[in-house]
Amino acid sequence: MGFIGSGKIGSAAARLAVGAGHDVVMSNSRGPETLTDLVGELGPRARAGTSLDAAQSGDVVVVTIPLKEYDQVPRDALAGKVVLDTMNYYPERDGQIAALDDESTTTSELLQAHLPDSRVVKVFNNIHFAHLAELPRPAGADDRSAIAIAGDDAAAKATVTGLLDDMGYDAHDLGPLSEGWRTQRDTSAYGQFYFNDPQDLAAGPRQATAATIAQKASEAKRYRDS
Ligand SMILES: NC(=O)c1ccc[n+]([C@@H]2O[C@H](COP(=O)([O-])OP(=O)(O)OC[C@H]3O[C@@H](n4cnc5c(N)ncnc54)[C@H](OP(=O)(O)O)[C@@H]3O)[C@@H](O)[C@H]2O)c1
């Protein structure tokens, strides 16, 4: 797996991937030499590279950077690949993006439009990185949680569902990328249900099943409808 972005959510996902036996190539904006500590912690299945290296090396590639950087992601190197998108829109960080402000598209559709020859799957965007690290459980466990996915390619979603299973999660399929707005920021499906207490991160996470996510996603409203 390649990781474009090695911050809070990228490194949490990489720990789960390595734990599940996958090799990872980590990258960031500053260069591989700044990732020595992280790849040391991740162990022999991990190495650091450039973003281009991560894009070229991964069979699947996770894009997990500030959304404003999405058009910096290498297009040609990702052609034909499954691309996992964790990104969310925070205008205070990303600047105003008109097509998101007027809800004429969604965050993952922006990335898909930038990567027309890749198969983008939205995943990990609505779970706090600490919860992602704490909630994995073996397949079949009563207290296993699910993670929402969305995408336009069934085979790509099957790949991601398999990866999630390896990492300790069930998947809940929201449908095509255009349905991904349901778990975007500030919707009722934006990860609050993983919190024991949304006001207190130290209270830790709680299980969220596919049924819980489906219920929250069905209740979600677009800004223009709320
Ligand atoms: N934090 C969460 O719990 C969480 C949960 C779900 C989704 N998300 C979303 O996932 C994305 C990543 O969040 P995060 O919290 O992990 O962010 P973060 O901790 O700030 O990490 C961002 C990473 O992206 C790298 N980066 C920035 N620009 C890049 C570029 N042009 N090319 C390659 N790498 C680049 C950064 O590298 P440098 O450090 O070298 O600049 C850093 O490794 C965001 O869109 C966020 O909204 C976050």
Side-chain angles (χ1 to χ4, degrees):
M1 293 175 69
F3 283 79
I4 298 176
S6 298
K8 292 184 278 297
I9 199 81
S11 59
R15 282 184 196 96
L16 298 185
V18 164
H22 297 283
D23 295 329
V24 299
V25 179
M26 307 304 297
S27 72
N28 63 7
S29 76
R30 287 166 293 153
E33 67 281 2
T34 65
L35 290 166
T36 307
D37 289 349
L38 177 62
V39 297
E41 177 214 320
L42 289 171
R45 291 196 180 280
R47 69 176 176 85
T50 63
S51 295
L52 183 60
D53 186 7
Q56 289 172 332
S57 301
D59 296 324
V60 303
V61 178
V62 185
V63 174
T64 181
I65 62 180
L67 182 65
K68 66 181 175 188
E69 299 290 325
Y70 82 91
D71 59 357
Q72 302 303 306
V73 172
R75 177 181 290 156
D76 292 346
L78 291 171
K81 299 198 179 191
V82 176
V83 173
L84 282 61
D85 172 26
T86 81
M87 295 183 287
N88 289 307
Y89 176 38
Y90 282 81
E92 59 271 37
R93 177 193 66 195
D94 299 316
Q96 299 301 140
I97 299 175
L100 295 177
D101 291 337
D102 69 14
E103 297 184 316
S104 58
T105 192
T106 63
T107 52
S108 293
E109 288 174 294
L110 275 185
L111 182 65
Q112 181 68 79
H114 173 63
L115 303 173
D117 298 321
S118 304
R119 294 171 290 155
V120 172
V121 177
K122 185 180 194 68
V123 63
F124 298 137
N125 77 292
N126 69 333
I127 183 167
H128 189 278
F129 71 97
H131 294 174
L132 180 65
E134 292 170 41
L135 282 171
R137 301 288 187 274
D142 287 345
D143 57 348
R144 201 182 214 211
S145 287
I147 288 183
I149 63 171
D152 296 338
D153 185 282
K157 286 196 285 195
T159 297
V160 175
T161 298
L163 281 172
L164 286 175
D165 190 36
D166 293 348
M167 293 180 179
Y169 287 95
D170 295 333
H172 173 68
D173 186 359
L174 295 166
L177 283 184
S178 58
E179 285 294 290
W181 66 268
R182 291 183 183 278
T183 62
Q184 284 185 169
R185 183 188 179 191
D186 292 344
T187 65
S188 52
Y190 191 56
Q192 294 290 305
F193 49 79
Y194 291 109
F195 283 80
N196 265 320
D197 177 356
Q199 309 306 322
D200 180 12
L201 185 61
R206 68 178 174 205
Q207 178 190 22
T209 63
T212 301
I213 297 172
Q215 177 66 32
K216 294 295 180 184
S218 73
E219 294 167 358
K221 287 188 165 43
R222 292 182 195 261
Y223 295 123
R224 63 173 174 250
D225 297 329
S226 57

Coordinates of all heavy atoms in Angstrom, one line a residue, residues 165-208:
D165 N -11.4 -5.6 6.3 CA -11.6 -6.8 7.0 C -10.2 -7.2 7.6 O -10.1 -7.6 8.8 CB -12.1 -7.9 6.1 CG -12.5 -9.2 6.8 OD1 -13.0 -9.1 8.0 OD2 -12.3 -10.3 6.3
D166 N -9.2 -7.1 6.8 CA -7.8 -7.4 7.3 C -7.5 -6.5 8.5 O -6.8 -6.9 9.4 CB -6.7 -7.1 6.2 CG -6.8 -8.1 5.0 OD1 -7.5 -9.1 5.1 OD2 -6.2 -7.7 4.0
M167 N -7.9 -5.3 8.4 CA -7.6 -4.3 9.4 C -8.4 -4.3 10.7 O -8.2 -3.6 11.6 CB -7.7 -2.9 8.8 CG -6.6 -2.6 7.8 SD -6.9 -0.9 7.2 CE -5.6 -0.7 6.0
G168 N -9.5 -5.2 10.6 CA -10.3 -5.3 11.8 C -11.7 -4.7 11.8 O -12.3 -4.4 12.8
Y169 N -12.1 -4.4 10.6 CA -13.4 -3.6 10.4 C -14.3 -4.3 9.4 O -13.8 -4.8 8.4 CB -13.2 -2.2 10.0 CG -12.6 -1.3 11.1 CD1 -11.2 -1.1 11.2 CD2 -13.5 -0.7 12.0 CE1 -10.7 -0.3 12.2 CE2 -13.0 0.1 13.0 CZ -11.6 0.3 13.0 OH -11.1 1.1 14.0
D170 N -15.6 -4.2 9.6 CA -16.6 -4.4 8.5 C -16.7 -3.2 7.7 O -16.2 -2.1 8.1 CB -18.0 -4.8 9.1 CG -18.0 -6.1 9.9 OD1 -17.2 -7.0 9.6 OD2 -18.8 -6.2 10.8
A171 N -17.3 -3.3 6.5 CA -17.5 -2.2 5.6 C -19.0 -1.9 5.5 O -19.8 -2.9 5.5 CB -16.9 -2.4 4.3
H172 N -19.4 -0.7 5.4 CA -20.8 -0.3 5.1 C -20.7 0.5 3.8 O -20.2 1.6 3.8 CB -21.5 0.5 6.2 CG -22.8 0.9 5.7 ND1 -23.9 0.1 5.5 CD2 -23.3 2.2 5.4 CE1 -24.9 0.7 5.0 NE2 -24.6 2.0 4.9
D173 N -21.4 0.0 2.8 CA -21.3 0.6 1.4 C -22.4 1.7 1.3 O -23.6 1.3 1.3 CB -21.5 -0.5 0.4 CG -21.3 0.1 -1.1 OD1 -21.0 1.3 -1.2 OD2 -21.3 -0.7 -2.0
L174 N -22.0 2.9 1.2 CA -23.0 4.0 1.0 C -23.5 4.1 -0.4 O -24.5 4.8 -0.6 CB -22.3 5.3 1.4 CG -21.9 5.6 2.8 CD1 -21.0 6.8 2.8 CD2 -23.1 5.8 3.7
G175 N -22.9 3.4 -1.3 CA -23.3 3.6 -2.7 C -22.2 4.2 -3.6 O -21.0 4.1 -3.2
P176 N -22.6 5.0 -4.6 CA -21.6 5.6 -5.5 C -20.9 6.8 -4.8 O -21.4 7.3 -3.7 CB -22.4 6.1 -6.7 CG -23.8 6.2 -6.2 CD -23.9 5.1 -5.1
L177 N -19.8 7.3 -5.4 CA -19.1 8.4 -4.8 C -20.1 9.6 -4.5 O -19.9 10.3 -3.5 CB -18.0 8.9 -5.7 CG -16.7 8.1 -5.7 CD1 -15.7 8.8 -6.6 CD2 -16.1 7.9 -4.3
S178 N -21.1 9.8 -5.4 CA -22.0 10.9 -5.2 C -22.8 10.8 -3.9 O -23.3 11.8 -3.5 CB -22.9 11.0 -6.4 OG -23.7 9.8 -6.5
E179 N -22.8 9.7 -3.3 CA -23.5 9.5 -2.0 C -22.6 9.8 -0.9 O -23.0 9.8 0.3 CB -24.1 8.1 -1.9 CG -25.3 7.9 -2.7 CD -26.5 8.7 -2.2 OE1 -27.0 8.5 -1.1 OE2 -26.8 9.7 -2.8
G180 N -21.3 10.0 -1.2 CA -20.3 10.3 -0.1 C -20.6 11.5 0.7 O -20.0 11.7 1.8
W181 N -21.4 12.4 0.2 CA -21.7 13.6 1.0 C -22.3 13.2 2.3 O -22.3 14.0 3.3 CB -22.7 14.5 0.2 CG -24.1 14.0 0.0 CD1 -24.5 13.2 -1.1 CD2 -25.2 14.0 0.9 NE1 -25.8 12.9 -1.0 CE2 -26.3 13.3 0.3 CE3 -25.4 14.6 2.1 CZ2 -27.5 13.2 0.9 CZ3 -26.6 14.4 2.7 CH2 -27.7 13.7 2.1
R182 N -22.9 12.1 2.4 CA -23.6 11.7 3.6 C -22.7 11.6 4.8 O -23.1 11.6 6.0 CB -24.4 10.3 3.4 CG -25.5 10.5 2.5 CD -26.3 9.2 2.3 NE -27.4 9.3 1.4 CZ -28.6 9.9 1.7 NH1 -28.8 10.3 2.9 NH2 -29.5 10.0 0.7
T183 N -21.4 11.3 4.6 CA -20.5 11.2 5.7 C -19.5 12.4 5.7 O -18.5 12.4 6.4 CB -19.7 9.9 5.7 OG1 -18.9 9.9 4.5 CG2 -20.6 8.7 5.8
Q184 N -19.8 13.4 4.9 CA -18.9 14.6 4.9 C -19.1 15.3 6.2 O -20.0 15.1 7.0 CB -19.2 15.5 3.7 CG -18.7 15.0 2.4 CD -18.8 15.9 1.2 OE1 -18.2 15.6 0.2 NE2 -19.6 16.9 1.3
R185 N -18.2 16.3 6.4 CA -18.1 17.1 7.7 C -19.5 17.6 8.0 O -20.2 18.1 7.2 CB -17.1 18.2 7.5 CG -16.9 19.0 8.7 CD -16.1 20.2 8.3 NE -15.9 21.1 9.5 CZ -15.4 22.3 9.5 NH1 -15.1 22.8 8.3 NH2 -15.3 23.0 10.6
D186 N -19.8 17.5 9.3 CA -21.0 18.2 9.9 C -22.3 17.5 9.6 O -23.4 18.0 9.9 CB -21.1 19.7 9.6 CG -20.0 20.5 10.2 OD1 -19.4 19.9 11.2 OD2 -19.8 21.6 9.8
T187 N -22.2 16.3 8.9 CA -23.5 15.5 8.7 C -23.6 14.7 10.0 O -22.7 14.5 10.8 CB -23.4 14.6 7.5 OG1 -22.4 13.7 7.8 CG2 -23.1 15.4 6.2
S188 N -24.8 14.1 10.1 CA -25.1 13.2 11.3 C -24.3 11.9 11.2 O -24.2 11.2 12.2 CB -26.6 12.9 11.4 OG -27.0 12.4 10.2
A189 N -23.7 11.7 10.0 CA -22.9 10.5 9.9 C -21.4 10.8 9.9 O -20.6 10.0 9.5 CB -23.2 9.8 8.6
Y190 N -21.0 12.0 10.4 CA -19.6 12.4 10.4 C -19.0 11.9 11.7 O -18.4 12.7 12.5 CB -19.5 13.9 10.2 CG -18.1 14.4 10.0 CD1 -17.3 13.8 9.0 CD2 -17.5 15.3 10.8 CE1 -16.0 14.3 8.7 CE2 -16.2 15.8 10.6 CZ -15.5 15.2 9.6 OH -14.2 15.6 9.3
G191 N -19.1 10.7 12.0 CA -18.2 10.1 13.1 C -18.6 10.3 14.5 O -17.9 9.8 15.4
Q192 N -19.6 11.1 14.8 CA -20.0 11.4 16.2 C -20.4 10.0 16.9 O -20.2 9.9 18.1 CB -21.2 12.3 16.3 CG -20.8 13.7 15.8 CD -19.9 14.5 16.7 OE1 -20.2 14.6 17.9 NE2 -18.8 14.9 16.2
F193 N -20.9 9.1 16.1 CA -21.4 7.9 16.7 C -20.3 7.0 17.1 O -20.6 6.0 17.8 CB -22.3 7.1 15.7 CG -21.7 7.0 14.3 CD1 -20.8 6.0 14.0 CD2 -22.1 7.9 13.3 CE1 -20.2 5.9 12.8 CE2 -21.6 7.8 12.0 CZ -20.6 6.8 11.8
Y194 N -19.1 7.3 16.8 CA -17.9 6.5 17.3 C -17.5 7.0 18.7 O -16.6 6.4 19.3 CB -16.7 6.5 16.4 CG -16.9 5.8 15.1 CD1 -17.0 6.5 13.9 CD2 -16.9 4.4 15.0 CE1 -17.0 5.9 12.6 CE2 -16.9 3.8 13.7 CZ -17.0 4.5 12.6 OH -17.1 3.9 11.4
F195 N -18.0 8.2 19.1 CA -17.6 8.8 20.4 C -18.5 8.3 21.5 O -19.7 8.4 21.4 CB -17.7 10.3 20.3 CG -16.6 11.0 19.5 CD1 -16.6 11.0 18.2 CD2 -15.5 11.6 20.2 CE1 -15.6 11.7 17.4 CE2 -14.5 12.2 19.5 CZ -14.6 12.3 18.1
N196 N -17.8 7.9 22.6 CA -18.6 7.7 23.8 C -19.2 9.0 24.3 O -20.3 9.1 24.7 CB -17.7 7.1 25.0 CG -17.9 5.6 25.0 OD1 -18.9 5.0 24.9 ND2 -16.7 4.9 25.2
D197 N -18.3 10.1 24.2 CA -18.7 11.4 24.6 C -18.1 12.4 23.6 O -16.9 12.6 23.7 CB -18.3 11.7 26.0 CG -18.6 13.1 26.4 OD1 -19.2 13.9 25.6 OD2 -18.4 13.5 27.6
P198 N -18.9 13.0 22.7 CA -18.3 13.8 21.7 C -17.5 15.0 22.3 O -16.7 15.6 21.6 CB -19.5 14.3 20.9 CG -20.5 13.3 21.1 CD -20.3 12.8 22.5
Q199 N -17.8 15.4 23.5 CA -17.1 16.5 24.2 C -15.8 16.1 24.8 O -15.1 16.9 25.3 CB -18.0 17.2 25.2 CG -19.4 17.5 24.8 CD -19.4 18.4 23.5 OE1 -18.6 19.3 23.4 NE2 -20.3 18.1 22.6
D200 N -15.6 14.8 24.9 CA -14.5 14.3 25.7 C -13.8 13.1 25.0 O -14.2 12.0 25.1 CB -14.9 13.9 27.1 CG -13.8 13.4 27.9 OD1 -12.6 13.6 27.5 OD2 -14.1 12.8 29.0
L201 N -12.8 13.4 24.2 CA -12.1 12.4 23.5 C -11.5 11.3 24.4 O -11.5 10.1 24.0 CB -11.0 13.0 22.6 CG -10.2 12.0 21.7 CD1 -11.2 11.4 20.6 CD2 -9.1 12.7 21.0
A202 N -11.1 11.7 25.6 CA -10.6 10.8 26.5 C -11.6 9.7 27.0 O -11.2 8.6 27.5 CB -10.0 11.5 27.8
A203 N -12.9 10.0 26.7 CA -13.9 8.9 27.1 C -13.8 7.8 26.1 O -14.5 6.8 26.3 CB -15.3 9.6 27.1
G204 N -13.0 7.9 25.0 CA -12.8 6.8 24.2 C -13.9 6.5 23.2 O -14.9 7.2 23.2
P205 N -13.7 5.5 22.3 CA -14.7 5.2 21.2 C -15.7 4.2 21.7 O -15.5 3.5 22.7 CB -13.8 4.7 20.1 CG -12.7 3.9 20.9 CD -12.5 4.7 22.1
R206 N -16.7 4.1 20.9 CA -17.7 3.0 21.1 C -17.9 2.4 19.8 O -17.7 3.0 18.7 CB -19.0 3.5 21.7 CG -19.8 4.4 20.8 CD -21.1 4.8 21.5 NE -21.8 5.8 20.7 CZ -22.6 6.6 21.2 NH1 -22.9 6.7 22.5 NH2 -23.2 7.5 20.4
Q207 N -18.4 1.1 19.8 CA -18.7 0.4 18.6 C -19.7 1.1 17.7 O -20.7 1.6 18.2 CB -19.2 -1.0 19.0 CG -19.6 -1.9 17.8 CD -20.3 -3.2 18.3 OE1 -20.9 -3.2 19.4 NE2 -20.2 -4.2 17.4
A208 N -19.5 1.0 16.4 CA -20.5 1.4 15.5 C -20.7 0.3 14.4 O -19.7 0.0 13.7 CB -20.1 2.7 14.8

